[in-house]
Amino acid sequence: MTLADCDRVSEIRIRGWQRAYRGLMPQSYLDSLSVAEDAALRRERFTRGGGGSGEVVNLVAERGGAVVGWAAVGPYREGEVRTGDAELYAIYVSGDHLGSGVGHALLEESVRRAGTRGQARRMYLWVLKENAPARRFYERAGFRADGTEEPFEVEGTAVPEVRYMRPLPH
């Protein structure tokens, strides 16, 4: 990912939230999400070292020269503490490329990169408990729910997350 990709990545991310979380989160919250605000925050984080050369690796998938997907991976966060394991922070694919293999390719490259960095033995990720399509996607890729749940609230609505884990290749 480059700094120039931030606007497109934010568009994919925000539209992904609005599509995937419809009915799982308050619609007023989803409608309030701003691509421009997300892009500004993403550019600021990217220039601070979160672009791919530091602890966090941002990956994009392209088709025909256009960015169609994005994933971010880095150290697993246990609260504010970084651990020796890896975490998939995010993965989103543009709506017109869902089911085309882009998400799978981004996920596998994230797993590969995490397995070659440091001593990480596992990769974790968090997914909304009620997001059945995302849970099936991760399960097909070898991730398994490990029984850990986190409360998450959006505008007073509980949207709990479950943690998934997959061993990393070395």
Side-chain angles (χ1 to χ4, degrees):
M1 179 174 158
T2 68
L3 184 60
D5 295 327
C6 288
D7 289 338
R8 178 65 177 142
V9 164
S10 288
E11 181 182 359
I12 290 168
R13 180 180 172 276
I14 295 300
R15 300 297 173 245
W17 269 63
Q18 291 169 333
R19 181 181 54 255
Y21 303 146
R22 183 175 289 122
L24 302 178
M25 291 184 180
Q27 192 61 44
S28 59
Y29 175 77
L30 295 173
D31 291 344
S32 74
L33 296 175
S34 165
V35 171
E37 289 174 14
D38 189 78
L41 180 61
R42 197 151 310 287
R43 281 191 297 275
E44 190 265 323
R45 284 183 184 159
F46 195 92
T47 57
R48 261 198 344 243
S53 57
E55 287 188 316
V56 177
V57 176
N58 284 279
L59 303 168
V60 294
E62 295 182 343
R63 289 245 167 108
V67 173
V68 298
W70 164 70
V73 64
Y76 180 69
R77 302 165 294 182
E78 191 76 48
E80 295 298 313
V81 177
R82 308 269 193 217
T83 73
D85 286 315
E87 181 176 352
L88 180 70
Y89 301 139
I91 185 168
Y92 292 95
V93 175
S94 66
D96 55 341
H97 285 85
L98 290 173
S100 69
V102 170
H104 179 74
L106 281 167
L107 183 57
E108 289 305 311
E109 181 62 14
S110 296
V111 167
R112 188 191 72 73
R113 297 252 184 136
T116 61
R117 293 174 62 134
Q119 303 299 319
R121 295 184 336 217
R122 295 172 292 271
M123 177 182 273
Y124 293 99
L125 61 88
W126 291 92
V127 61
L128 293 184
K129 187 174 185 175
E130 300 302 318
N131 189 347
R135 292 182 72 170
R136 283 191 302 271
F137 170 76
Y138 295 125
E139 288 166 4
R140 283 191 307 267
F143 284 84
R144 297 291 173 254
D146 69 2
T148 304
E149 293 191 20
E150 281 276 319
F152 185 62
E153 189 175 293
V154 176
E155 291 185 347
T157 300
V159 286
E161 295 179 304
V162 293
R163 187 173 72 180
Y164 274 63
M165 187 277 298
R166 173 179 164 177
L168 289 172
H170 284 285

